[in-house]
Amino acid sequence: MTVVYQVYPRSFQDSDGDGVGDLAGIRSRLDHLVWLGVDALWLSPIYPSPMADFGYDVSDYTDVDPVFGDLAAFDALVREAHDRGLRLLMDVVPCHTSIEHPWFTEHPDWYIWRDEPNNWLSAFGGSAWAPLDGRYYLHSFYPEQADLDWRNPEVVAAMQDGLRFWLDRGADGYRIDAIDRLLKDPHLRDDPPATEPFGLPLSEAEAKLARIYSGNAPDTGRALAKIREACGDAFLVGEVYLPSSRWAPYLEHFDAAFAFELLHSPWEAGALRAAVERSTRAPGAAWVLSNHDFGRLSTRFGDENARAAALLLLMLPGPAFLYQGDEIGQGEGPPGERRFDRAGRDRHRHPMQWDGSPSGGFTTGEAWLPVVDAPERNVADQRDDPGSMLTLVRELVALRRELPDGFELLDAADGVLAFRRGGHTVAINTTAEERPAPVRGEARIQTAPGALSRGLLAPHAGAVAMG
Ligand code: NOJ
């Protein structure tokens, strides 16, 4: 697996004019992914869901939400993806179900309950416990997402069935949601006050607690082994929201873990280098710089750095995950008239911009979130433009395919991140001034014409040179 393209199904392509993307729409755009040269697509959740967390609140693990299509539409998508040589990863949400999942009423003992809340906090703010019928159930995320008890063998068996279901239908693997929250302290002890920083951003309240009991329990490996058992040798990448120094138990069972230290690093060469260095200590880093939770390359690192960020993402060793729209430098959207995500993530989820029409070619109806700036930024225009971000991303994906293994961080001038990668030197200037780059040969790929000239990198530029 080298480059995986993240499809956010609601916002990729609508086929039926209801303003929400769907599986038939994704199928009609597979050729874009082939043209771009990626190996696989990852579908954010498509299961039936009340959409309190836009699909991350699953109410049935073995079906498709009608807004996205049906199982036949999934089968057609997987078939056509495979016909084109693309693999397909599903998104599995094992930590919690929707409270509208029939399991929640039929099998309350599959969930985690207490007579009184402890001090654990939900990732979205406030107590992680919600009252129901005189008791409290645990929800590490929204109250509509009740945490499953993975120490209950019936839960494990039911989840294994769900995992096998999609692999049997042709899926090639999973991105596994919030996996560091899978197992908690069996005694549900209070988290103590934090004595050192967690290492990744948390909400202000969460950061005050050392999250040692509310997740990442010492016996997590047993549950991960059950996930692996159901998945055979399918590709598994974990959303392990922990510093990379704590990945080991996860990588014993999964192929990769998202390197969130890099995603959260400021666009500054020293910080980027330190994050890459830490995450490459153990093999298994999957690189990601943006997604449906944290925002887009062009807004997070600045429009002026978006190309260099794409170059970094695609030149690092190991799987790289590219979020839909980042290949054209799509920006964040303004708030829509209606607010959908209570945690404020709508702005990262605006529709894909395929052409310069007002709807961006996304829908014939009214898009669920407004299309941001399709006339200025769209796939159709950038495809024909040799100087576009889309052309750059395509060239990087193609080069990456040829690169042999090998990775070594290099010393470089202040403000320059540089590494050797498969017989090439990659150098990125994170500053607004010209900087020397430790390269010998001519640029093979550069973020803009003349970005690398006589060993000097232009401001905000990046380049890959032979040798
Ligand atoms: C991580 C997902 O990416 C995010 O969108 C979701 O809200 C949480 N996990 C909870 O499932």
Side-chain angles (χ1 to χ4, degrees):
M1 203 66 74
T2 67
V3 183
V4 182
Y5 185 97
Q6 180 189 354
V7 170
Y8 192 70
R10 287 185 80 79
S11 302
F12 194 58
Q13 177 65 56
D14 177 22
S15 73
D16 57 10
D18 68 355
V20 174
D22 48 46
L23 295 180
I26 298 169
R27 187 154 57 89
S28 72
R29 294 292 188 183
L30 286 176
D31 285 337
H32 172 65
L33 306 192
V34 174
W35 178 85
L36 201 54
V38 304
D39 307 275
L41 62 155
W42 147 34
L43 293 185
S44 281
I46 57 165
Y47 316 105
S49 164
M51 304 287 168
D53 191 11
F54 290 90
Y56 288 94
D57 48 325
V58 178
S59 55
D60 181 350
Y61 286 93
T62 55
D63 207 346
V64 171
D65 193 280
V67 79
F68 299 127
D70 55 19
L71 286 171
F74 175 80
D75 293 342
L77 174 63
V78 103
R79 200 173 46 241
E80 291 201 18
H82 286 169
D83 286 350
R84 288 166 170 77
L86 293 167
R87 288 194 277 169
L88 187 144
L89 303 183
M90 296 291 279
D91 199 324
V92 68
V93 188
C95 175
H96 45 261
T97 72
S98 162
I99 51 172
E100 291 184 35
H101 195 302
W103 294 347
F104 193 56
T105 34
E106 287 165 15
H107 303 287
D109 55 320
W110 289 14
Y111 296 81
I112 299 175
W113 298 86
R114 241 179 101 101
D115 291 337
E116 290 298 327
N118 64 13
N119 76 345
W120 295 356
L121 295 171
S122 140
F124 293 134
S127 170
W129 299 90
L132 186 69
D133 298 337
R135 291 193 297 164
Y136 293 82
Y137 65 87
L138 180 64
H139 60 88
S140 293
F141 293 89
Y142 288 129
E144 291 89 337
Q145 295 163 295
D147 281 37
L148 285 162
D149 178 4
W150 269 75
R151 292 194 183 90
N152 182 332
E154 288 174 3
V155 169
V156 174
M159 290 302 297
Q160 284 190 318
D161 286 347
L163 289 163
R164 287 192 203 99
F165 181 86
W166 299 97
L167 297 174
D168 290 347
R169 290 192 101 92
D172 299 286
Y174 286 102
R175 173 266 188 193
I176 305 185
D177 187 69
I179 192 67
D180 52 287
R181 306 255 184 172
L182 194 65
L183 284 197
K184 298 92 181 163
D185 177 44
H187 311 291
L188 308 177
R189 280 171 284 186
D190 275 355
D191 275 335
T195 51
E196 54 187 66
F198 178 64
L200 292 172
L202 294 170
S203 71
E204 214 177 299
E206 264 199 305
K208 292 194 177 135
L209 297 176
R211 286 194 33 224
I212 57 172
Y213 293 131
S214 53
N216 193 31
D219 56 340
T220 298
R222 252 184 269 159
L224 303 179
K226 292 291 181 187
I227 292 178
R228 174 53 81 192
E229 180 183 275
C231 295
D233 58 6
F235 181 82
L236 301 181
V237 54
E239 191 205 20
V240 184
Y241 199 72
L242 292 171
S244 50
S245 55
R246 293 160 74 187
W247 283 353
Y250 298 85
L251 290 178
E252 253 181 61
H253 303 281
F254 294 172
D255 299 279
F258 286 126
F260 285 112
E261 281 158 310
L262 184 68
L263 180 142
H264 287 300
S265 170
W267 193 251
E268 188 279 306
L272 293 168
R273 182 192 164 100
V276 170
E277 207 268 320
R278 281 197 300 274
S279 303
T280 44
R281 268 184 212 150
W287 305 104
V288 55
L289 286 179
S290 66
N291 64 23
H292 63 290
D293 292 329
F294 295 113
R296 299 185 164 284
L297 293 186
S298 59
T299 3
R300 301 194 53 242
F301 302 119
D303 237 348
E304 68 284 12
N305 293 312
R307 289 172 178 231
L311 184 138
L312 171 62
L313 175 71
L314 292 166
M315 285 298 108
L316 287 167
F321 283 68
L322 181 70
Y323 182 39
Q324 71 179 45
D326 275 349
E327 72 272 39
I328 55 169
Q330 205 169 305
E332 309 258 306
E337 260 167 41
R338 187 177 146 203
R339 181 170 169 169
F340 290 90
D341 179 49
R342 278 132 65 196
R345 295 167 296 178
D346 290 348
R347 62 188 193 276
H348 321 314
R349 301 173 177 179
H350 286 256
M352 183 72 189
Q353 300 177 177
W354 297 102
D355 62 37
S357 65
S359 76
F362 165 68
T363 182
T364 54
E366 197 182 327
W368 72 288
L369 279 174
V371 173
V372 181
D373 57 355
E376 286 82 52
R377 260 184 247 239
N378 63 72
V379 171
D381 288 351
Q382 292 197 19
R383 254 180 91 125
D384 299 332
D385 175 359
S388 70
M389 176 140 176
L390 182 58
T391 301
L392 169 72
V393 168
R394 186 167 182 246
E395 285 171 2
L396 288 164
V397 173
L399 172 63
R400 184 191 170 89
R401 232 173 236 296
E402 313 168 6
L403 291 186
D405 288 345
F407 175 77
E408 184 198 349
L409 282 162
L410 297 176
D411 291 333
D414 273 359
V416 174
L417 171 67
F419 52 89
R420 302 246 330 132
R421 173 83 173 87
H424 290 69
T425 303
V426 178
I428 290 167
N429 179 1
T430 60
T431 75
E433 288 123 38
E434 203 172 59
R435 283 279 193 273
V439 290
R440 275 165 278 152
E442 284 297 298
R444 183 147 174 214
I445 294 187
Q446 45 191 342
T447 46
L452 177 69
S453 171
R454 281 172 279 117
L456 290 177
L457 271 176
H460 308 294
V464 185
M466 298 280 282

mmCIF file of all heavy atoms in Angstrom, residues 243-282:
data_model
loop_
_atom_site.group_PDB
_atom_site.id
_atom_site.type_symbol
_atom_site.label_atom_id
_atom_site.label_comp_id
_atom_site.label_asym_id
_atom_site.label_seq_id
_atom_site.Cartn_x
_atom_site.Cartn_y
_atom_site.Cartn_z
ATOM 1 N N PRO A 243 1.068 9.362 21.078
ATOM 2 C CA PRO A 243 2.407 9.635 20.557
ATOM 3 C C PRO A 243 3.017 8.334 20.013
ATOM 4 O O PRO A 243 2.722 7.246 20.527
ATOM 5 C CB PRO A 243 3.162 10.127 21.787
ATOM 6 C CG PRO A 243 2.118 10.512 22.781
ATOM 7 C CD PRO A 243 0.910 9.701 22.492
ATOM 8 N N SER A 244 3.856 8.444 19.009
ATOM 9 C CA SER A 244 4.373 7.238 18.334
ATOM 10 C C SER A 244 5.146 6.327 19.296
ATOM 11 O O SER A 244 5.230 5.125 19.083
ATOM 12 C CB SER A 244 5.245 7.637 17.140
ATOM 13 O OG SER A 244 6.195 8.593 17.546
ATOM 14 N N SER A 245 5.682 6.888 20.394
ATOM 15 C CA SER A 245 6.421 6.051 21.339
ATOM 16 C C SER A 245 5.498 5.013 21.986
ATOM 17 O O SER A 245 5.978 4.063 22.596
ATOM 18 C CB SER A 245 7.045 6.931 22.432
ATOM 19 O OG SER A 245 6.033 7.715 23.041
ATOM 20 N N ARG A 246 4.178 5.178 21.836
ATOM 21 C CA ARG A 246 3.255 4.233 22.473
ATOM 22 C C ARG A 246 2.500 3.373 21.458
ATOM 23 O O ARG A 246 1.478 2.761 21.777
ATOM 24 C CB ARG A 246 2.288 5.006 23.368
ATOM 25 C CG ARG A 246 3.056 5.608 24.546
ATOM 26 C CD ARG A 246 2.326 6.741 25.201
ATOM 27 N NE ARG A 246 1.210 6.274 26.008
ATOM 28 C CZ ARG A 246 0.328 7.085 26.590
ATOM 29 N NH1 ARG A 246 0.449 8.384 26.459
ATOM 30 N NH2 ARG A 246 -0.645 6.608 27.302
ATOM 31 N N TRP A 247 3.039 3.279 20.244
ATOM 32 C CA TRP A 247 2.371 2.507 19.192
ATOM 33 C C TRP A 247 2.595 0.989 19.277
ATOM 34 O O TRP A 247 1.863 0.234 18.657
ATOM 35 C CB TRP A 247 2.913 2.893 17.826
ATOM 36 C CG TRP A 247 2.432 4.174 17.272
ATOM 37 C CD1 TRP A 247 1.462 4.998 17.765
ATOM 38 C CD2 TRP A 247 2.933 4.791 16.083
ATOM 39 N NE1 TRP A 247 1.328 6.087 16.955
ATOM 40 C CE2 TRP A 247 2.221 5.986 15.918
ATOM 41 C CE3 TRP A 247 3.912 4.459 15.148
ATOM 42 C CZ2 TRP A 247 2.445 6.832 14.842
ATOM 43 C CZ3 TRP A 247 4.130 5.308 14.080
ATOM 44 C CH2 TRP A 247 3.407 6.487 13.935
ATOM 45 N N ALA A 248 3.657 0.566 19.975
ATOM 46 C CA ALA A 248 4.114 -0.825 19.813
ATOM 47 C C ALA A 248 3.004 -1.874 19.903
ATOM 48 O O ALA A 248 2.892 -2.727 19.012
ATOM 49 C CB ALA A 248 5.239 -1.121 20.796
ATOM 50 N N PRO A 249 2.132 -1.847 20.920
ATOM 51 C CA PRO A 249 1.115 -2.906 20.996
ATOM 52 C C PRO A 249 0.196 -2.920 19.774
ATOM 53 O O PRO A 249 -0.313 -3.971 19.380
ATOM 54 C CB PRO A 249 0.302 -2.558 22.244
ATOM 55 C CG PRO A 249 1.042 -1.493 22.960
ATOM 56 C CD PRO A 249 2.040 -0.887 22.028
ATOM 57 N N TYR A 250 -0.006 -1.755 19.180
ATOM 58 C CA TYR A 250 -0.906 -1.661 18.027
ATOM 59 C C TYR A 250 -0.227 -2.234 16.789
ATOM 60 O O TYR A 250 -0.844 -2.941 15.988
ATOM 61 C CB TYR A 250 -1.340 -0.198 17.816
ATOM 62 C CG TYR A 250 -2.099 0.314 19.020
ATOM 63 C CD1 TYR A 250 -1.421 0.846 20.124
ATOM 64 C CD2 TYR A 250 -3.477 0.184 19.100
ATOM 65 C CE1 TYR A 250 -2.099 1.255 21.259
ATOM 66 C CE2 TYR A 250 -4.167 0.585 20.233
ATOM 67 C CZ TYR A 250 -3.471 1.126 21.316
ATOM 68 O OH TYR A 250 -4.150 1.511 22.441
ATOM 69 N N LEU A 251 1.062 -1.931 16.657
ATOM 70 C CA LEU A 251 1.771 -2.395 15.458
ATOM 71 C C LEU A 251 2.090 -3.892 15.524
ATOM 72 O O LEU A 251 2.461 -4.480 14.505
ATOM 73 C CB LEU A 251 3.029 -1.563 15.226
ATOM 74 C CG LEU A 251 2.713 -0.124 14.788
ATOM 75 C CD1 LEU A 251 3.993 0.678 14.621
ATOM 76 C CD2 LEU A 251 1.906 -0.095 13.503
ATOM 77 N N GLU A 252 1.926 -4.481 16.685
ATOM 78 C CA GLU A 252 2.061 -5.945 16.723
ATOM 79 C C GLU A 252 0.964 -6.609 15.911
ATOM 80 O O GLU A 252 1.105 -7.725 15.443
ATOM 81 C CB GLU A 252 1.913 -6.416 18.169
ATOM 82 C CG GLU A 252 3.210 -6.855 18.800
ATOM 83 C CD GLU A 252 2.945 -7.309 20.205
ATOM 84 O OE1 GLU A 252 2.183 -8.267 20.404
ATOM 85 O OE2 GLU A 252 3.496 -6.658 21.106
ATOM 86 N N HIS A 253 -0.166 -5.929 15.769
ATOM 87 C CA HIS A 253 -1.322 -6.544 15.112
ATOM 88 C C HIS A 253 -1.745 -5.844 13.830
ATOM 89 O O HIS A 253 -2.426 -6.433 13.002
ATOM 90 C CB HIS A 253 -2.501 -6.591 16.092
ATOM 91 C CG HIS A 253 -2.159 -7.312 17.345
ATOM 92 N ND1 HIS A 253 -2.143 -8.688 17.429
ATOM 93 C CD2 HIS A 253 -1.753 -6.854 18.553
ATOM 94 C CE1 HIS A 253 -1.773 -9.047 18.641
ATOM 95 N NE2 HIS A 253 -1.516 -7.960 19.341
ATOM 96 N N PHE A 254 -1.389 -4.576 13.689
ATOM 97 C CA PHE A 254 -1.807 -3.821 12.507
ATOM 98 C C PHE A 254 -0.606 -3.581 11.595
ATOM 99 O O PHE A 254 0.537 -3.699 12.018
ATOM 100 C CB PHE A 254 -2.383 -2.456 12.910
ATOM 101 C CG PHE A 254 -3.666 -2.521 13.703
ATOM 102 C CD1 PHE A 254 -4.197 -1.373 14.259
ATOM 103 C CD2 PHE A 254 -4.352 -3.713 13.884
ATOM 104 C CE1 PHE A 254 -5.377 -1.416 14.993
ATOM 105 C CE2 PHE A 254 -5.536 -3.771 14.610
ATOM 106 C CZ PHE A 254 -6.038 -2.618 15.166
ATOM 107 N N ASP A 255 -0.911 -3.197 10.358
ATOM 108 C CA ASP A 255 0.176 -2.890 9.424
ATOM 109 C C ASP A 255 0.733 -1.498 9.664
ATOM 110 O O ASP A 255 1.904 -1.240 9.381
ATOM 111 C CB ASP A 255 -0.353 -2.981 7.983
ATOM 112 C CG ASP A 255 -0.847 -4.371 7.687
ATOM 113 O OD1 ASP A 255 -0.013 -5.226 7.389
ATOM 114 O OD2 ASP A 255 -2.070 -4.636 7.816
ATOM 115 N N ALA A 256 -0.125 -0.601 10.118
ATOM 116 C CA ALA A 256 0.319 0.791 10.208
ATOM 117 C C ALA A 256 -0.521 1.563 11.215
ATOM 118 O O ALA A 256 -1.628 1.139 11.572
ATOM 119 C CB ALA A 256 0.211 1.451 8.834
ATOM 120 N N ALA A 257 0.028 2.689 11.661
ATOM 121 C CA ALA A 257 -0.696 3.602 12.554
ATOM 122 C C ALA A 257 -0.487 5.018 12.022
ATOM 123 O O ALA A 257 0.608 5.353 11.554
ATOM 124 C CB ALA A 257 -0.140 3.499 13.973
ATOM 125 N N PHE A 258 -1.523 5.824 12.081
ATOM 126 C CA PHE A 258 -1.394 7.202 11.586
ATOM 127 C C PHE A 258 -0.411 7.996 12.448
ATOM 128 O O PHE A 258 -0.502 7.987 13.678
ATOM 129 C CB PHE A 258 -2.744 7.927 11.603
ATOM 130 C CG PHE A 258 -3.678 7.471 10.524
ATOM 131 C CD1 PHE A 258 -4.953 7.034 10.823
ATOM 132 C CD2 PHE A 258 -3.284 7.483 9.199
ATOM 133 C CE1 PHE A 258 -5.826 6.618 9.827
ATOM 134 C CE2 PHE A 258 -4.145 7.066 8.187
ATOM 135 C CZ PHE A 258 -5.418 6.633 8.502
ATOM 136 N N ALA A 259 0.479 8.701 11.785
ATOM 137 C CA ALA A 259 1.505 9.475 12.485
ATOM 138 C C ALA A 259 0.958 10.876 12.795
ATOM 139 O O ALA A 259 1.238 11.843 12.094
ATOM 140 C CB ALA A 259 2.763 9.565 11.625
ATOM 141 N N PHE A 260 0.193 10.971 13.874
ATOM 142 C CA PHE A 260 -0.448 12.253 14.191
ATOM 143 C C PHE A 260 0.532 13.310 14.691
ATOM 144 O O PHE A 260 0.222 14.493 14.693
ATOM 145 C CB PHE A 260 -1.582 12.042 15.200
ATOM 146 C CG PHE A 260 -2.802 11.433 14.566
ATOM 147 C CD1 PHE A 260 -3.199 10.142 14.877
ATOM 148 C CD2 PHE A 260 -3.538 12.144 13.632
ATOM 149 C CE1 PHE A 260 -4.315 9.579 14.276
ATOM 150 C CE2 PHE A 260 -4.656 11.586 13.025
ATOM 151 C CZ PHE A 260 -5.047 10.301 13.352
ATOM 152 N N GLU A 261 1.710 12.880 15.137
ATOM 153 C CA GLU A 261 2.679 13.899 15.554
ATOM 154 C C GLU A 261 3.057 14.786 14.373
ATOM 155 O O GLU A 261 3.242 15.991 14.531
ATOM 156 C CB GLU A 261 3.935 13.226 16.123
ATOM 157 C CG GLU A 261 3.721 12.749 17.545
ATOM 158 C CD GLU A 261 4.689 11.650 17.922
ATOM 159 O OE1 GLU A 261 4.807 10.677 17.145
ATOM 160 O OE2 GLU A 261 5.304 11.756 18.978
ATOM 161 N N LEU A 262 3.166 14.184 13.198
ATOM 162 C CA LEU A 262 3.497 15.005 12.029
ATOM 163 C C LEU A 262 2.299 15.875 11.649
ATOM 164 O O LEU A 262 2.449 17.057 11.358
ATOM 165 C CB LEU A 262 3.925 14.131 10.847
ATOM 166 C CG LEU A 262 4.377 14.949 9.630
ATOM 167 C CD1 LEU A 262 5.681 15.687 9.919
ATOM 168 C CD2 LEU A 262 4.542 14.092 8.395
ATOM 169 N N LEU A 263 1.112 15.266 11.666
ATOM 170 C CA LEU A 263 -0.083 16.038 11.294
ATOM 171 C C LEU A 263 -0.215 17.295 12.162
ATOM 172 O O LEU A 263 -0.575 18.356 11.675
ATOM 173 C CB LEU A 263 -1.336 15.158 11.436
ATOM 174 C CG LEU A 263 -2.670 15.817 11.081
ATOM 175 C CD1 LEU A 263 -3.586 14.819 10.367
ATOM 176 C CD2 LEU A 263 -3.381 16.362 12.301
ATOM 177 N N HIS A 264 0.109 17.175 13.449
ATOM 178 C CA HIS A 264 -0.067 18.307 14.349
ATOM 179 C C HIS A 264 1.153 19.215 14.431
ATOM 180 O O HIS A 264 1.147 20.196 15.173
ATOM 181 C CB HIS A 264 -0.418 17.812 15.748
ATOM 182 C CG HIS A 264 -1.820 17.286 15.838
ATOM 183 N ND1 HIS A 264 -2.921 18.068 15.562
ATOM 184 C CD2 HIS A 264 -2.300 16.060 16.150
ATOM 185 C CE1 HIS A 264 -4.011 17.349 15.721
ATOM 186 N NE2 HIS A 264 -3.677 16.121 16.072
ATOM 187 N N SER A 265 2.203 18.880 13.700
ATOM 188 C CA SER A 265 3.404 19.687 13.805
ATOM 189 C C SER A 265 3.184 21.038 13.109
ATOM 190 O O SER A 265 2.553 21.113 12.068
ATOM 191 C CB SER A 265 4.542 18.926 13.111
ATOM 192 O OG SER A 265 5.644 19.758 12.985
ATOM 193 N N PRO A 266 3.712 22.119 13.684
ATOM 194 C CA PRO A 266 3.654 23.383 12.945
ATOM 195 C C PRO A 266 4.510 23.280 11.688
ATOM 196 O O PRO A 266 5.405 22.427 11.617
ATOM 197 C CB PRO A 266 4.235 24.402 13.926
ATOM 198 C CG PRO A 266 5.005 23.612 14.921
ATOM 199 C CD PRO A 266 4.424 22.224 14.961
ATOM 200 N N TRP A 267 4.241 24.140 10.712
ATOM 201 C CA TRP A 267 5.022 24.101 9.463
ATOM 202 C C TRP A 267 6.373 24.789 9.713
ATOM 203 O O TRP A 267 6.612 25.926 9.321
ATOM 204 C CB TRP A 267 4.250 24.753 8.314
ATOM 205 C CG TRP A 267 4.882 24.459 6.990
ATOM 206 C CD1 TRP A 267 5.556 25.322 6.197
ATOM 207 C CD2 TRP A 267 4.919 23.182 6.346
ATOM 208 N NE1 TRP A 267 6.026 24.660 5.088
ATOM 209 C CE2 TRP A 267 5.647 23.348 5.144
ATOM 210 C CE3 TRP A 267 4.425 21.916 6.649
ATOM 211 C CZ2 TRP A 267 5.889 22.301 4.264
ATOM 212 C CZ3 TRP A 267 4.659 20.867 5.773
ATOM 213 C CH2 TRP A 267 5.382 21.078 4.597
ATOM 214 N N GLU A 268 7.226 24.095 10.371
ATOM 215 C CA GLU A 268 8.549 24.637 10.748
ATOM 216 C C GLU A 268 9.512 23.461 10.669
ATOM 217 O O GLU A 268 9.250 22.381 11.221
ATOM 218 C CB GLU A 268 8.430 25.236 12.154
ATOM 219 C CG GLU A 268 9.639 26.002 12.627
ATOM 220 C CD GLU A 268 10.723 25.089 13.164
ATOM 221 O OE1 GLU A 268 10.426 24.286 14.060
ATOM 222 O OE2 GLU A 268 11.860 25.157 12.644
ATOM 223 N N ALA A 269 10.616 23.656 9.958
ATOM 224 C CA ALA A 269 11.479 22.521 9.609
ATOM 225 C C ALA A 269 11.911 21.689 10.818
ATOM 226 O O ALA A 269 11.863 20.462 10.781
ATOM 227 C CB ALA A 269 12.704 23.027 8.846
ATOM 228 N N GLY A 270 12.306 22.374 11.915
ATOM 229 C CA GLY A 270 12.798 21.638 13.081
ATOM 230 C C GLY A 270 11.719 20.756 13.674
ATOM 231 O O GLY A 270 11.955 19.585 14.020
ATOM 232 N N ALA A 271 10.517 21.306 13.806
ATOM 233 C CA ALA A 271 9.415 20.548 14.400
ATOM 234 C C ALA A 271 9.007 19.396 13.479
ATOM 235 O O ALA A 271 8.738 18.272 13.935
ATOM 236 C CB ALA A 271 8.227 21.472 14.652
ATOM 237 N N LEU A 272 8.989 19.649 12.188
ATOM 238 C CA LEU A 272 8.624 18.590 11.238
ATOM 239 C C LEU A 272 9.658 17.469 11.293
ATOM 240 O O LEU A 272 9.323 16.276 11.317
ATOM 241 C CB LEU A 272 8.535 19.139 9.807
ATOM 242 C CG LEU A 272 7.403 20.141 9.531
ATOM 243 C CD1 LEU A 272 7.609 20.811 8.171
ATOM 244 C CD2 LEU A 272 6.033 19.469 9.576
ATOM 245 N N ARG A 273 10.912 17.858 11.336
ATOM 246 C CA ARG A 273 11.985 16.863 11.370
ATOM 247 C C ARG A 273 11.864 15.994 12.630
ATOM 248 O O ARG A 273 11.976 14.771 12.566
ATOM 249 C CB ARG A 273 13.341 17.574 11.345
ATOM 250 C CG ARG A 273 14.506 16.622 11.334
ATOM 251 C CD ARG A 273 15.832 17.331 11.615
ATOM 252 N NE ARG A 273 16.817 16.334 11.956
ATOM 253 C CZ ARG A 273 17.732 15.856 11.131
ATOM 254 N NH1 ARG A 273 17.835 16.322 9.922
ATOM 255 N NH2 ARG A 273 18.552 14.907 11.518
ATOM 256 N N ALA A 274 11.622 16.652 13.769
ATOM 257 C CA ALA A 274 11.516 15.891 15.020
ATOM 258 C C ALA A 274 10.346 14.919 14.948
ATOM 259 O O ALA A 274 10.451 13.763 15.393
ATOM 260 C CB ALA A 274 11.345 16.852 16.195
ATOM 261 N N ALA A 275 9.232 15.357 14.381
ATOM 262 C CA ALA A 275 8.049 14.475 14.302
ATOM 263 C C ALA A 275 8.333 13.298 13.373
ATOM 264 O O ALA A 275 7.992 12.150 13.678
ATOM 265 C CB ALA A 275 6.839 15.268 13.813
ATOM 266 N N VAL A 276 8.980 13.557 12.239
ATOM 267 C CA VAL A 276 9.300 12.468 11.305
ATOM 268 C C VAL A 276 10.277 11.503 11.971
ATOM 269 O O VAL A 276 10.116 10.283 11.919
ATOM 270 C CB VAL A 276 9.901 13.023 9.988
ATOM 271 C CG1 VAL A 276 10.466 11.908 9.129
ATOM 272 C CG2 VAL A 276 8.854 13.816 9.217
ATOM 273 N N GLU A 277 11.253 12.066 12.652
ATOM 274 C CA GLU A 277 12.273 11.236 13.306
ATOM 275 C C GLU A 277 11.625 10.306 14.325
ATOM 276 O O GLU A 277 11.875 9.105 14.337
ATOM 277 C CB GLU A 277 13.268 12.191 13.973
ATOM 278 C CG GLU A 277 14.663 11.638 14.131
ATOM 279 C CD GLU A 277 14.838 10.961 15.462
ATOM 280 O OE1 GLU A 277 14.317 11.519 16.435
ATOM 281 O OE2 GLU A 277 15.450 9.883 15.512
ATOM 282 N N ARG A 278 10.737 10.863 15.149
ATOM 283 C CA ARG A 278 10.081 10.034 16.175
ATOM 284 C C ARG A 278 9.205 8.963 15.537
ATOM 285 O O ARG A 278 9.218 7.809 15.942
ATOM 286 C CB ARG A 278 9.200 10.901 17.085
ATOM 287 C CG ARG A 278 9.970 11.660 18.143
ATOM 288 C CD ARG A 278 9.032 12.152 19.231
ATOM 289 N NE ARG A 278 7.989 13.039 18.726
ATOM 290 C CZ ARG A 278 8.134 14.345 18.571
ATOM 291 N NH1 ARG A 278 9.272 14.939 18.892
ATOM 292 N NH2 ARG A 278 7.143 15.081 18.115
ATOM 293 N N SER A 279 8.455 9.341 14.510
ATOM 294 C CA SER A 279 7.488 8.397 13.934
ATOM 295 C C SER A 279 8.159 7.335 13.076
ATOM 296 O O SER A 279 7.541 6.314 12.772
ATOM 297 C CB SER A 279 6.451 9.145 13.091
ATOM 298 O OG SER A 279 5.813 10.112 13.870
ATOM 299 N N THR A 280 9.385 7.562 12.649
ATOM 300 C CA THR A 280 10.046 6.533 11.830
ATOM 301 C C THR A 280 10.906 5.599 12.691
ATOM 302 O O THR A 280 11.524 4.680 12.162
ATOM 303 C CB THR A 280 10.933 7.147 10.716
ATOM 304 O OG1 THR A 280 11.685 8.212 11.266
ATOM 305 C CG2 THR A 280 10.111 7.654 9.565
ATOM 306 N N ARG A 281 10.916 5.802 14.017
ATOM 307 C CA ARG A 281 11.705 4.898 14.862
ATOM 308 C C ARG A 281 11.189 3.481 14.769
ATOM 309 O O ARG A 281 11.953 2.532 14.764
ATOM 310 C CB ARG A 281 11.668 5.367 16.315
ATOM 311 C CG ARG A 281 12.839 6.284 16.590
ATOM 312 C CD ARG A 281 12.908 6.697 18.028
ATOM 313 N NE ARG A 281 13.460 8.040 18.062
ATOM 314 C CZ ARG A 281 13.197 8.950 18.967
ATOM 315 N NH1 ARG A 281 12.387 8.681 19.960
ATOM 316 N NH2 ARG A 281 13.751 10.137 18.892
ATOM 317 N N ALA A 282 9.856 3.332 14.740
ATOM 318 C CA ALA A 282 9.283 1.979 14.558
ATOM 319 C C ALA A 282 8.711 1.922 13.157
ATOM 320 O O ALA A 282 8.114 2.896 12.708
ATOM 321 C CB ALA A 282 8.172 1.762 15.562
#
